Amino acid sequence: MSADDERLDQLMKIGNDGLAAQFEAARLYAAEAEDEGAVRPGAAVLVLRMLGAVRDECDHIEVRMTEALMDSGQSWEEVGRATGRPSKQAAQQRYRRLGGTKTWPTRRPAH
């Protein structure tokens, strides 16, 4: 078995573990591919699939945390700052793109 085949075999085994392990495997393979300058198509497909699962979970978490902030009375500006978005509109658009459907009043009662 070649070194590339062994690496791909290891990635496939890691792919059955948790999201953190999948992300770490993808990160390590990408770093190694940068050093060696070549990526086998089968390995690239596997890494992209692993990243897709990690990204989907991150998106799900971002929607839930955005909703938690908004439900607690935070503003879209505050959500934008927390998520690195430059404006409240960018934060709102990101939330919708990720599948968020909740709405909140535009005016909050004074505390």
Side-chain angles (χ1 to χ4, degrees), residues 80-99:
R81 282 193 296 277
T83 59
R85 304 286 176 262
S87 67
K88 72 178 190 178
Q89 291 83 6
Q92 292 167 328
Q93 290 169 357
R94 170 85 175 159
Y95 171 73
R96 294 284 179 231
R97 267 194 312 277
L98 295 179

Side-chain angles (χ1 to χ4, degrees), residues 47-84:
V47 168
L48 289 172
R49 284 183 184 153
M50 287 190 300
L51 286 178
V54 171
R55 187 175 296 110
D56 289 346
E57 185 64 17
C58 288
D59 291 349
H60 174 79
I61 292 167
E62 186 174 333
V63 166
R64 297 299 161 252
M65 294 302 99
T66 296
E67 290 172 350
L69 285 176
M70 293 300 295
D71 288 347
S72 74
Q74 302 295 307
S75 69
W76 280 110
E77 290 88 354
E78 291 164 314
V79 171
R81 282 193 296 277
T83 59

Side-chain angles (χ1 to χ4, degrees), residues 5-22:
D5 290 335
E6 287 177 11
R7 218 173 304 127
L8 184 56
D9 188 52
Q10 288 174 335
L11 284 174
M12 291 172 72
K13 288 176 186 170
I14 291 172
N16 294 327
D17 290 348
L19 291 173
Q22 290 182 26

